[in-house]
Amino acid sequence: MGTTRKTITLTEQQDAWIKAQIDAGGFTNDSEYIRDLIRRDQARQLDVAAIRAELIKGEESGEPRIFDANEFKDKMTARHGRKAR
């Protein structure tokens, strides 16, 4: 995997934050910290896309049905028995 050099501009507060993360021992340098932020953002975007896809799937599945919580509890108790708490 190749690398590309980037130049970014940060506020003093942002720079201090990055330095604090490095000083805390979580990262060895600025680049490592920023790459970690990008990886986490990429993972978050994948999670958001998956949630959106499931929401669309739910919306397209038809009209909602009435949910009776007591009926559901009775059905689960009958199926799995009552467990001690």
Side-chain angles (χ1 to χ4, degrees):
M1 175 188 307
T3 59
T4 302
R5 187 173 186 86
K6 297 279 184 187
T7 301
I8 62 170
T9 304
L10 303 170
T11 65
E12 289 179 13
Q13 182 182 17
Q14 292 167 332
D15 187 50
W17 176 262
I18 292 172
K19 287 177 182 173
Q21 303 312 302
I22 294 166
D23 292 343
F27 304 92
T28 58
N29 58 49
D30 296 21
S31 293
E32 186 179 308
Y33 178 70
I34 292 169
R35 283 192 302 270
D36 183 65
L37 289 177
I38 293 168
R39 280 190 295 272
R40 286 191 279 149
D41 187 49
Q42 288 171 325
R44 182 184 156 281
Q45 292 296 327
L46 288 173
D47 290 344
V48 168
I51 291 168
R52 283 188 177 133
E54 289 300 314
L55 287 171
I56 291 168
K57 187 171 145 184
E59 289 174 345
E60 293 174 346
S61 69
E63 290 298 314
R65 297 180 303 225
I66 294 175
F67 179 76
D68 184 329
N70 290 324
E71 180 183 328
F72 177 77
K73 289 177 188 177
D74 291 343
K75 186 189 289 185
M76 291 300 109
T77 299
R79 183 180 297 168
H80 301 288
R82 184 169 295 278
K83 295 188 180 202
R85 291 186 183 213

